[in-house]
Amino acid sequence: MDWRAGEVRAEMMNIAVIGIGQIGGTIAQKLAHAGHNVSIANSKGVDGVRDFADKIGANACDLDTVGVGADVLILSVLTPAVADLPKSLWQGLSPDCVVVDTANYYPEFRDRPIDKIDNGMAESV
């Protein structure tokens, strides 16, 4: 950013978004429209996100490859679904990739109980 010139220039980032519901879909759309390289995926595979990806100008991916080369990975899935994400997703991330989770754990309202979290483990673990 060049603050001296009174202008802010954003660098294009590679951003992966898992989940295209209200939160993930809105984030993906806004970031794609801002000029970032956005890749999206969900549990339904490439065909399950292709129409939405085409609509917003993003790349349709599967869960195994969505994070490859990502500067930022945004998780927008229910908390219990994080445990079901493939190990290859995590193995394909750069050690410098920032992971953002938009979920909140609601065991009484929406989510199935997760014993480790219910017994004091931080959700971020």
Side-chain angles (χ1 to χ4, degrees):
M1 294 182 221
D2 187 354
W3 296 101
R4 290 168 290 156
E7 123 186 8
V8 177
R9 285 181 266 158
E11 299 287 328
M12 186 188 79
M13 298 179 70
N14 294 318
I15 302 172
V17 179
I18 299 177
I20 58 169
Q22 289 181 337
I23 296 170
T26 299
I27 291 170
Q29 181 177 23
K30 297 282 186 184
L31 291 169
H33 287 172
H36 296 286
N37 181 28
V38 177
S39 298
I40 60 173
N42 69 10
S43 62
K44 296 176 183 167
V46 175
D47 291 334
V49 296
R50 188 175 316 281
D51 288 344
F52 184 71
D54 290 345
K55 176 181 169 186
I56 68 167
N59 305 305
C61 295
D62 60 29
L63 291 172
D64 294 313
T65 60
V66 68
V68 174
D71 299 307
V72 177
L73 170 66
I74 299 172
L75 299 174
S76 194
V77 298
L78 301 177
T79 300
V82 173
D84 298 329
L85 293 171
K87 290 186 189 320
S88 57
L89 166 68
W90 309 111
Q91 294 165 349
L93 292 180
S94 158
D96 297 326
C97 182
V98 174
V99 178
V100 177
D101 186 356
T102 68
N104 289 306
Y105 178 51
Y106 293 112
E108 294 88 24
F109 177 67
R110 176 192 68 200
D111 299 330
R112 70 176 186 261
I114 301 172
D115 291 336
K116 289 181 179 179
I117 293 174
D118 292 340
N119 290 317
M121 181 181 76
E123 290 178 44
S124 61
V125 174

